[in-house]
Amino acid sequence: INRRLDSRTKEIKVITLKVRIIPSDEIVITATRKETSIKDSPNLTYVINSDDIKTTSSSTVKEMMEFAIPNIQSIHDNHGNDKIKIQGLDDKYVTFLLDGNRVSGEFAGGVDFSLFNLNNVEKIEVVRGGLSTLYGSGAMGSVINIITKKRLNSYWLDISTIYDNPLIFDKSFSAGFNYKNLSYNLFVNQKSSDGYDLTSSDYPEGVTADINKTLERYNSISIAQKLQFKFNQNLDLLFNLRNYNKEILKYKQVNGPSLSCTCLQDENPYFSDRSISLSLRKKITSKSNLLISYQDEMYAKSYYYPYYNASIQSLLSDEEEFNFSSLDLDGEKILWSTPVTKTTSVIYDAIFKKHLIMIGLDYIN
């Protein structure tokens, strides 16, 4: 409302201003273990939001980060699990979180990026610099928190696919509901590739298939379930369950006394991840909160024997006569390790005047 005031009169005008909230899309991050406005974060933080994900041509979380954030270096791996370096430090110095829960599953010393599905990502928070005070020595390089999608609809059903031949063929299915104080989300994702070869094709005579491909043929599937129950506005319980499997296939030259062929066989046949987490969030007052969480994760790895360039011929007697059908090209799958990581966390935070005080305990076994 506009009103003209005449300063020549002696009449006193009383003007009252009303306080009104102006809505804005303020960016809030959680990688610092507390919902914090990005402008108040003491660390340099990059946020890749849902709009960035929709407009890019990236098909994986790793590609998305490499495209959107400066000074991230990708190291190629022909098994389909590229490593990354942030400010010169590789994955093992970077803590990866999925909805605030630590991801322990690793592949050959680096995080297994196939665990993350871009179709189910709402935003990615990348906190540059060390956060060892909050997450331990594994966060010397950075902390990357991948936030999955949160739905407000009563129910939903989504089907999506990414076809980027020959790099990846990604198929996703999501369904869930929100009913009163209960919400449930199911996400199923399947990734595969026939691989490709950018190396020389100058193989020995009689070898017609690619032996060492730039990207090996692989197939993976992951199933994630999220269940949340809100007791009231100040207390909620969140349960997450994730299962993941991946196999990698490789062409290999097999020589025997009466046989020479190039066959598709398992190289690293099996990688699996099973993660269960339970989080209880309590808003004590308007300025203090309590978080209690527990996570149990097992990332199992298997190998194939003979491995890589091991000669099957050395395992056979020279006098042994055999044909193609009698040769066991599958070899033997040997379980190499089943590391189990159990993490218990208790975090209390409170605002005192203009300061945020956070006290917590992490027990990782």
Side-chain angles (χ1 to χ4, degrees), residues 106 270-274 298-302 335-339:
E106 57 88 12
Y270 192 70
F271 291 82
S272 66
D273 181 83
R274 183 269 302 148
M298 181 184 72
Y299 187 84
K301 294 177 279 189
S302 300
L335 184 63
W336 180 56
S337 67
T338 54

Side-chain angles (χ1 to χ4, degrees), residues 260-317:
S260 179
C261 72
T262 302
C263 310
L264 188 65
Q265 68 174 25
D266 289 337
E267 180 192 77
N268 296 326
Y270 192 70
F271 291 82
S272 66
D273 181 83
R274 183 269 302 148
S275 176
I276 301 173
S277 66
L278 189 65
S279 301
L280 180 68
R281 304 174 187 273
K282 169 67 175 177
K283 184 177 181 180
I284 301 174
T285 67
S286 60
K287 295 184 178 181
S288 61
N289 303 276
L290 177 67
L291 170 64
I292 302 174
S293 63
Y294 173 79
Q295 182 181 9
D296 186 302
E297 181 178 7
M298 181 184 72
Y299 187 84
K301 294 177 279 189
S302 300
Y303 279 89
Y304 174 85
Y305 184 82
Y307 185 60
Y308 282 113
N309 296 322
S311 173
I312 289 183
Q313 184 177 4
S314 63
L315 305 177
L316 304 172
S317 170

Side-chain angles (χ1 to χ4, degrees), residues 238-274:
L238 182 64
F239 173 78
N240 283 283
L241 174 62
R242 184 181 72 245
N243 288 281
Y244 159 82
N245 296 293
K246 181 174 183 177
E247 64 176 355
I248 302 170
L249 300 174
K250 179 181 173 67
Y251 285 99
K252 179 174 180 177
Q253 179 71 14
V254 178
N255 297 313
S258 61
L259 171 68
S260 179
C261 72
T262 302
C263 310
L264 188 65
Q265 68 174 25
D266 289 337
E267 180 192 77
N268 296 326
Y270 192 70
F271 291 82
S272 66
D273 181 83
R274 183 269 302 148

Side-chain angles (χ1 to χ4, degrees), residues 10 43 59 116 129 194 224 242 249 257 262 323 327 329:
K10 294 183 179 180
N43 299 82
S59 56
F116 310 126
D194 289 333
R242 184 181 72 245
L249 300 174
T262 302
N323 53 39
L327 179 62
L329 294 176

Side-chain angles (χ1 to χ4, degrees), residues 1-5 14:
I1 299 175
N2 294 324
R3 292 183 180 178
R4 183 180 295 275
L5 301 179
V14 178

